[in-house]
Amino acid sequence: MKVLANDGISKTGELALTEAGFEVLPNRVAQNHVINFINENNVDILLVRSTTKVRQDVIDACPSLKIIGRGGIGMDNIDVDYAKSKGIKVINTPTASSKSVAELVFGHFFALARFLHESNRLMPLEGETHFEAMKKSFSKAYELSGKTLGVIGFGSIGQEVVKIGIALGMKIKVLTKNPKTRVLTLDFFDGQSLNFEITSTNDMDAFLKDTDFISINTPKTNEYIIDTPQFEKMKDGVYIVNTARGGVINEVTLIDFIESEKVAGAALDVFENEPTPELPLLMNPALSLSPHVGGNTVDAQEKIGAELAEQIIKLQKETIR
């Protein structure tokens, strides 16, 4: 069976597939050439991340496809139900990149709380001439320890964010559509572990009250989770990080509340207009920005490749039976 990993696959995943008898093609094909390439090469398995789109046109035009795999959690770039209706198996890796995304959340939180995003931009330009002035302007920083962390969404990424928050000594709030309880285990270097029982709330007002740091970790939504009514109920000086999807937070309104100093700082790894974010976002000094790299670590890619390979090999064995 031929595999096209069009957005790339780790060496671990490629080796596992090759050893199991699959042919992993080395090509990376532009979106407008995907259909022709799949048909010309009789590709059985198409693996993507967030770049390649697998819509009805691709599914209809490529009868050789048996499996579509998404390296990551969200599958909004694949018409999943339609693919399944055509007898195509659709797989993803819902937990492989969770730790990497959660660590990026706190990378941004630390950057915001200590003005690192801004000082890294200004030091090369003004460090020699305005050192003392910058030192003074960046002195009103905050520790995360003892502050209240609010996490929107309680899937695998949300749980990892909560675990890091607990490890830092933060107070925890979780918001979900329906209240749920999860027992989270923190494992330590010496073999010890601790369990923490966390119950979420569906009361947005209670969630926002007195919350210092907010992390959004939800699937793609059809409407904003955070807009004017929610901003107005937040604590003054709140910090917000969105590593979920563009469109869960109103970016225009976010800028307004940053300018009014209701929001002390915010970080965006995802944008409403990817891959061309709005210029006011890119130029705002109160924003810490990254180009949708939440799961882009060597560790996560190794896990993603290995997990995709494992699922594909398992599906092949089940088919043979």
Side-chain angles (χ1 to χ4, degrees):
M1 297 180 78
K2 293 183 179 180
V3 180
L4 173 62
N6 205 43
D7 297 338
I9 188 171
S10 69
K11 288 295 182 182
T12 300
E14 182 178 352
L15 181 61
L17 288 170
T18 302
E19 290 180 345
F22 293 86
E23 179 184 355
V24 182
L25 303 176
N27 310 76
R28 303 290 181 270
V29 186
Q31 182 71 50
N32 58 332
H33 295 301
V34 166
I35 292 174
N36 287 339
F37 184 90
I38 289 173
N39 289 331
E40 289 171 3
N41 293 274
N42 293 312
V43 172
D44 303 280
I45 301 167
L46 174 60
L47 304 181
V48 302
R49 292 208 63 211
S50 58
T51 302
T52 304
K53 307 296 188 291
V54 191
R55 302 299 182 198
Q56 290 188 21
D57 61 329
V58 175
I59 295 165
D60 285 336
C62 300
S64 66
L65 285 179
K66 300 175 181 64
I67 300 173
I68 298 170
R70 164 70 161 92
I73 299 176
M75 294 198 287
D76 42 283
N77 58 321
I78 302 172
D79 286 340
V80 176
D81 292 337
Y82 189 75
K84 289 180 178 179
S85 75
K86 296 293 183 178
I88 300 172
K89 300 289 186 181
V90 183
I91 60 176
N92 69 335
T93 58
T95 62
S97 60
S98 299
K99 290 183 183 294
S100 291
V101 178
E103 289 185 6
L104 180 67
V105 169
F106 279 90
H108 278 300
F109 276 147
F110 283 122
L112 291 167
R114 297 305 302 266
F115 304 103
L116 297 181
H117 61 300
E118 192 171 358
S119 62
N120 279 330
R121 286 195 291 253
L122 291 179
M123 278 295 290
L125 300 174
E126 303 179 22
E128 186 177 8
T129 56
H130 295 86
F131 189 94
E132 290 299 330
M134 282 192 291
K135 181 177 180 179
K136 184 177 180 180
S137 67
F138 297 147
S139 64
K140 295 181 180 179
Y142 291 98
E143 296 179 354
L144 272 67
S145 177
K147 303 301 189 300
T148 298
L149 170 67
V151 180
I152 302 177
F154 209 20
S156 59
I157 295 175
Q159 291 179 33
E160 291 297 332
V161 171
V162 168
K163 287 162 71 173
I164 296 175
I166 292 171
L168 288 170
M170 303 184 78
K171 302 167 188 174
I172 304 297
K173 291 183 180 181
V174 179
L175 180 72
T176 54
K177 286 184 178 179
N178 300 300
K180 59 183 68 175
T181 298
R182 296 284 184 269
V183 176
L184 306 184
T185 302
L186 270 66
D187 297 310
F188 299 95
F189 71 97
D190 59 357
Q192 294 187 72
S193 62
L194 288 172
N195 292 332
F196 294 84
E197 185 175 281
I198 306 294
T199 299
S200 68
T201 179
N202 61 356
D203 186 335
M204 175 68 84
D205 292 355
F207 171 81
L208 295 174
K209 184 180 180 182
D210 298 326
T211 300
D212 301 291
F213 293 85
I214 296 174
S215 175
I216 308 174
N217 303 107
T218 66
K220 185 177 178 63
T221 57
N222 294 323
E223 56 187 24
Y224 296 126
I225 295 174
I226 301 295
D227 205 342
T228 299
Q230 290 74 39
F231 281 117
E232 289 176 341
K233 293 172 182 176
M234 291 179 187
K235 179 180 181 178
D236 290 346
V238 68
Y239 293 94
I240 304 169
V241 173
N242 180 22
T243 57
R245 286 288 186 271
V248 301
I249 185 170
N250 188 328
E251 295 172 349
V252 174
T253 306
L254 171 63
I255 296 296
D256 292 338
F257 280 90
I258 286 174
E259 291 177 352
S260 72
E261 299 185 353
K262 179 74 171 184
V263 176
L268 300 174
D269 183 55
V270 290
F271 303 86
E272 292 190 63
N273 294 315
E274 287 190 27
T276 54
E278 300 294 341
L279 191 59
L281 296 173
L282 300 178
M283 300 300 293
N284 194 296
L287 286 173
S288 179
L289 305 172
S290 53
H292 203 156
V293 294
N296 288 8
T297 64
V298 172
D299 310 84
Q301 295 312 305
E302 288 296 318
K303 293 174 189 175
I304 286 170
E307 192 171 320
L308 283 173
E310 182 180 349
Q311 291 184 63
I312 291 167
I313 294 166
K314 182 179 179 181
L315 285 172
Q316 183 196 41
K317 290 179 178 178
E318 291 175 351
T319 302
I320 293 173
R321 289 192 201 130

